[in-house]
Amino acid sequence: MQIQVKRDNEYVPDIAKLVKKTKMTEYEILFEFVFDNQEVRDLFTYIPGQFVQLSIFGIGEAPFSISSTPTRKGVLQLGVRNTGDLTAAMHKLEIGDKVGIRGPYGNGFPINKLKGHNLLFVAGGIGLVPLRSVINYVADRRDDFGKVTILYGSRNPEERVFVDELEKTWSKIPDFEVLQTVDQGNDTWEGNVGVVTTLFKKCLVDSKESMALICGPPVMYKFVVRDLLNLGFARDEIFLSLERRMKCGIGKCAHCQVGHKLTCMDGPVFTYFEAERLQESI
Amino acid sequence: MPTYTIRKDEIPKLVETLKEKYEVYGPVPRRTSHVFDKLDDVSKLDLDYDSTIMSPKKYLTPNRQVLMRVGLKETTLEDTANESTMDTPRILFGVHACDINGILFLDKVFGGKYQDVYYASNRENTTIVGLNCISPCKYGFCRSVDKNYVFEGYDLFLTEVSDTHYYVHVGTPKGDRIITYAPELFSETSIGDNDLFKTALRKKHENHPDELYLDYIHETLDMAWDDEIWDELGELCMNCGSCAMTCPTCYCFDVEDDVDLSLSTVERTRKWDTCLFHDFALVAGNHNFRGHPPSRLKYRFYHKFRAAIHDHGEIACTGCGRCIEACPAGISIKDVLHRLQDYWASSPTVTGG
Ligand SMILES: Cc1cc2nc3c(=O)[nH]c(=O)nc-3n(C[C@H](O)[C@H](O)[C@H](O)COP(=O)(O)OP(=O)(O)OC[C@H]3O[C@@H](n4cnc5c(N)ncnc54)[C@H](O)[C@@H]3O)c2cc1C
Ligand code: SF4
Ligand code: SF4
Ligand code: FES
């Protein structure tokens, strides 16, 4: 069960302070926030795959997936790419600076359905941000899940995020397999070169007892899904997380409509069965 | 259940009495049409109106609504939700069934899992006096979408039963209060009044055409996704947004942080927006999920007759006809639905639309 902080006005965020900032790549920073209010700090919890609405006052508000795991209480991390007004201002934040945060919103990944299954994660670029929440959740609740395979693709070695966790943490966990690939290597890259789907041939993915979780740039979904279907995954055993423009996060502004559903309320996680029925979704 | 009659020529007196306790708004003539406006001058009230340019949604979810005020220096938040609880309660006088249905739809949008406190306080503070349409308006097609009557959503509801009288239904305690403020103007109904009411309804049935079939509209819109009609209409549509602005059920909004000149306070403000505008589905990196103009026009239809059914269990169109009247490109939602349904759902064409 999820305990929500009762609030009269859902649009008014709680104030949080930046406590840690870790540069991951030229454009991506991992932020860690702590709520000012003790009660909020105690009650704030979430499901991997949910998102928050973050305010930089004077600039606006935008949705970000939660990248930390609820199994590690008191930690709220967001991995953010610098791509526009608000995210640029975020990148300029200093330790101690205040932001507004409200949420968590959206459905998140169906943890209970995933339990007892082998999990295949397919991430592209910063698509690893929301998936990292599930991966660390699984790592912390190892007995509840089967074998874990993580396939990660990036444009080049420098653009990879969470490299330490990929190479030093996850790959060392029993029954965790991590495979990486880049579209374009460099002088020091000795790993795979090619799009993320080329990794399917390099590992033994058994669709039996398995569920697939994918997140990445829109172009990635079509090819990954096609291969997963060929491997024998059912349409409702494939979960993907979608992104749309958002203003409210709570089903009121209609900016995030995708087909006949709302990304913020019905998603952002959809099964491929649903996504196939949502016009323009992938 | 008590019902009443009131003399039509007593309406100005009723409004004058109510103005002691309420701000009263109603239809008044403006150029060739009507608008809902504050009844400073009661003689301007014209209940014999066809339709209004804007729907009464402007009183429940205004075009500009400050959500909160933020002090930038100390990061202080001031919730402005209470400010939208107006001190003086409001009455919207003479609201047609289509528009009451529009409000019932907005109730669903702004209610649900996450209550919208701004809407809720405006709604709570508003009393609605409905008005039955015995004759259809020029552009409306309410009966075709089953929105020509209401079961609820009104506090009082007036039906013209003769040249001299309205029949009055009381829907809520709020409506009952109006009766108690001016009891001398209302008479309890007799059997004769009931007969007049039935005759009025019969006349209404005869007057209102049922000219559209919406069976399978859900499937139609999915199947017609690549229909050439969208490109054809997209050529005409200027993406001006007039259709959405005037529509009683279009509710999309944008949120902006308005910073004051001294750069010390921010008013986070929501403003009407529409899926017709270019940047509605634009995301970072300049990726636009609906960059092509026809896709935006199509989406307005898709949202109203497909997504709204998923979100709220009903279509988001009351058949008020405002968008038909407002469209500078001459696009008629009724004609478009007609064409789609004729082709994709084999609907029997009743009139030529
Ligand atoms: C559910 C969800 C989860 C997300 N998770 C992450 C994440 O973990 N890390 C990350 O870096 N980015 C994430 N994004 C994308 C992120 O929201 C955008 O990068 C961000 O809004 C860009 O804002 P900006 O002001 O910098 O860009 P601008 O281009 O200046 O955008 C202006 C405004 O448009 C809206 N907007 C623009 N792009 C998007 C978008 N893609 N989605 C929603 N609204 C948008 C926002 O309201 C934004 O404030 C997520 C988006 C969604 C919908
Ligand atoms: S879509 Fe047009 S006819 Fe339907 S409710 Fe809106 S303005 Fe009225
Ligand atoms: S009013 Fe007409 S021209 Fe303007 S956006 Fe609507 S359909 Fe297009
Ligand atoms: S973000 Fe406003 S409805 Fe989904």
Side-chain angles (χ1 to χ4, degrees):
Chain A
M1 216 200 69
Q2 199 182 3
I3 305 160
Q4 297 270 2
V5 182
K6 268 242 177 308
R7 208 188 344 241
D8 293 327
N9 189 345
E10 196 59 44
Y11 293 94
V12 177
D14 289 302
I15 304 293
K17 193 168 69 186
L18 177 65
V19 293
K20 204 167 156 195
K21 203 175 162 187
T22 315
K23 195 169 161 73
M24 298 198 286
T25 71
E26 194 185 344
Y27 299 106
E28 279 99 21
I29 290 179
L30 184 68
F31 296 88
E32 192 170 322
F33 295 98
V34 169
F35 287 105
D36 277 7
N37 183 313
Q38 182 66 44
E39 196 192 351
V40 178
R41 223 180 292 166
D42 292 342
L43 292 177
F44 190 87
T45 185
Y46 51 91
I47 300 165
Q50 285 192 300
F51 65 93
V52 292
Q53 284 280 72
L54 183 134
S55 289
I56 301 284
F57 298 110
I59 297 184
E61 213 177 20
F64 298 99
S65 304
I66 304 174
S67 195
S68 42
T69 161
T71 49
R72 302 176 195 173
K73 256 200 100 41
V75 181
L76 175 61
Q77 293 174 331
L78 309 175
V80 176
R81 168 173 290 176
N82 182 348
T83 142
D85 295 347
L86 186 132
T87 47
M90 266 185 99
H91 276 233
K92 291 203 195 94
L93 288 176
E94 289 171 15
I95 303 298
D97 281 353
K98 305 275 174 108
V99 299
I101 293 179
R102 59 189 179 94
Y105 298 128
N107 55 359
F109 288 98
I111 293 293
N112 283 333
K113 264 194 207 148
L114 302 180
K115 279 187 182 158
H117 287 81
N118 298 323
L119 302 179
L120 169 66
F121 294 91
V122 187
I126 58 166
L128 191 54
V129 168
L131 291 185
R132 173 178 177 256
S133 180
V134 197
I135 295 170
N136 280 328
Y137 186 99
V138 173
D140 290 350
R141 301 262 193 277
R142 194 65 201 92
D143 296 344
D144 292 346
F145 303 88
K147 194 174 165 305
V148 170
T149 309
I150 300 167
L151 309 183
Y152 182 46
S154 311
R155 268 206 296 244
N156 55 54
E158 297 81 39
E159 287 189 20
R160 290 173 304 146
V161 290
F162 306 114
V163 176
D164 276 1
E165 277 176 290
L166 283 162
E167 295 181 352
K168 295 191 186 131
T169 313
W170 298 334
S171 58
K172 306 259 157 65
I173 301 173
D175 276 336
F176 263 55
E177 189 181 7
V178 177
L179 290 174
Q180 301 184 62
T181 184
V182 295
D183 296 348
Q184 205 154 40
N186 61 13
D187 297 347
T188 55
W189 180 254
E190 291 172 353
N192 293 296
V193 176
V195 293
V196 75
T197 44
T198 58
L199 293 177
F200 283 124
K201 292 185 213 86
K202 314 238 155 154
C203 62
L204 266 179
V205 178
D206 185 1
S207 61
K208 251 177 58 198
E209 313 281 307
S210 293
M211 302 251 181
L213 295 80
I214 52 185
C215 191
V219 288
M220 195 188 92
Y221 289 116
K222 234 176 243 142
F223 299 103
V224 172
V225 165
R226 187 194 57 199
D227 287 5
L228 291 174
L229 293 175
N230 285 338
L231 284 167
F233 281 87
R235 284 172 161 73
D236 60 342
E237 290 169 349
I238 301 170
F239 299 92
L240 33 94
S241 180
L242 298 183
E243 270 186 25
R244 285 295 180 279
R245 189 181 179 94
M246 288 188 179
K247 284 294 166 181
C248 70
I250 54 173
K252 310 294 183 209
C253 74
H255 275 272
C256 72
Q257 280 278 356
V258 50
H260 61 279
K261 293 192 176 179
L262 291 166
T263 313
C264 69
M265 296 287 285
D266 301 304
V269 177
F270 295 96
T271 62
Y272 177 62
F273 177 85
E274 291 174 279
E276 203 180 22
R277 281 156 184 78
L278 299 177
Q279 308 275 15
E280 295 176 329
S281 71
I282 60 172
Chain B
M1 191 187 66
T3 48
Y4 304 88
T5 58
I6 184 170
R7 286 186 61 87
K8 289 172 82 173
D9 54 16
E10 301 274 41
I11 294 290
K13 204 190 277 174
L14 173 65
V15 174
E16 281 301 352
T17 311
L18 294 174
K19 275 172 67 179
E20 291 164 18
K21 297 204 165 18
Y22 300 85
E23 280 179 2
V24 187
Y25 296 77
V28 299
R30 176 80 45 90
R31 282 184 228 113
T32 56
S33 183
H34 285 80
V35 293
F36 273 100
D37 205 355
K38 194 158 167 220
L39 296 175
D40 289 326
D41 177 357
V42 176
S43 70
K44 292 256 165 64
L45 175 69
D46 181 6
L47 290 179
D48 200 20
Y49 74 109
D50 183 83
S51 178
T52 53
I53 298 170
M54 301 296 276
S55 85
K57 81 172 170 191
K58 63 182 179 179
Y59 296 113
L60 301 173
T61 173
N63 179 22
R64 194 174 181 283
Q65 167 89 56
V66 177
L67 300 178
M68 70 200 77
R69 219 164 273 123
V70 188
L72 285 179
K73 221 167 136 227
E74 305 284 335
T75 321
T76 47
L77 292 185
E78 185 197 340
D79 185 351
T80 51
N82 299 334
E83 290 172 18
S84 69
T85 316
M86 301 151 287
D87 297 333
T88 319
R90 281 179 174 170
I91 290 180
L92 301 183
F93 205 100
V95 184
H96 288 162
C98 59
D99 285 341
I100 295 175
N101 277 310
I103 292 169
L104 287 172
F105 179 77
L106 295 181
D107 286 351
K108 289 187 182 174
V109 172
F110 289 105
K113 183 177 175 194
Y114 299 105
Q115 291 283 327
D116 187 288
V117 286
Y118 310 93
Y119 179 86
S121 63
N122 285 339
R123 183 73 166 91
E124 224 171 85
N125 213 31
T126 305
T127 297
I128 295 170
V129 179
L131 179 64
N132 219 338
C133 301
I134 303 301
S135 308
C137 58
K138 189 164 167 207
Y139 292 99
F141 54 100
C142 56
R143 188 175 177 195
S144 303
V145 288
D146 216 22
K147 304 288 185 196
N148 55 327
Y149 58 90
V150 278
F151 295 129
E152 52 173 5
Y154 62 84
D155 299 297
L156 275 193
F157 199 73
L158 311 180
T159 303
E160 182 188 70
V161 289
S162 69
D163 288 344
T164 52
H165 281 82
Y166 288 117
Y167 193 100
V168 184
H169 282 91
V170 185
T172 65
K174 272 185 190 169
D176 191 52
R177 211 143 298 150
I178 292 183
I179 310 267
T180 53
Y181 289 147
E184 72 284 0
L185 301 180
F186 294 90
S187 323
E188 291 213 18
T189 48
S190 63
I191 292 172
D193 293 322
N194 288 347
D195 285 339
L196 285 174
F197 180 73
K198 285 193 293 194
T199 312
L201 285 197
R202 192 170 313 122
K203 223 159 83 192
K204 177 174 173 173
H205 282 308
E206 285 160 8
N207 287 345
H208 281 263
D210 189 359
E211 32 181 10
L212 255 186
Y213 283 81
L214 287 184
D215 327 27
Y216 304 107
I217 182 67
H218 193 275
E219 286 78 4
T220 291
L221 284 168
D222 275 344
M223 291 190 292
W225 189 259
D226 295 318
D227 195 309
E228 58 203 27
I229 189 173
W230 304 119
D231 279 326
E232 184 193 312
L233 296 172
E235 281 292 312
L236 303 169
C237 173
M238 306 158 211
N239 288 134
C240 69
S242 302
C243 49
M245 299 301 151
T246 55
C247 177
T249 58
C250 274
Y251 57 85
C252 297
F253 61 79
D254 192 19
V255 180
E256 279 174 15
D257 276 12
D258 296 335
V259 187
D260 75 341
L261 286 176
S262 65
L263 303 180
S264 60
T265 355
V266 177
E267 283 190 335
R268 179 161 292 173
T269 310
R270 78 165 164 219
K271 298 159 190 179
W272 288 355
D273 199 352
T274 157
C275 58
L276 275 315
F277 292 159
H278 170 261
D279 62 356
F280 192 80
L282 181 70
V283 296
N286 244 342
H287 182 71
N288 198 334
F289 286 99
R290 281 182 230 117
H292 191 43
S295 73
R296 298 199 287 277
L297 175 92
K298 171 169 69 181
Y299 206 77
R300 183 162 185 267
F301 282 83
Y302 198 79
H303 190 189
K304 287 193 166 301
F305 297 95
R306 175 77 169 90
I309 296 172
H310 168 76
D311 292 342
H312 305 296
E314 60 173 314
I315 60 168
C317 174
T318 69
C320 74
R322 284 190 180 88
C323 59
I324 303 174
E325 184 163 19
C327 181
I331 295 171
S332 155
I333 191 166
K334 195 171 77 178
D335 293 352
V336 174
L337 289 169
H338 232 301
R339 259 179 73 184
L340 287 170
Q341 287 292 82
D342 279 357
Y343 184 82
W344 292 97
S346 305
S347 287
T349 301
V350 177
T351 65

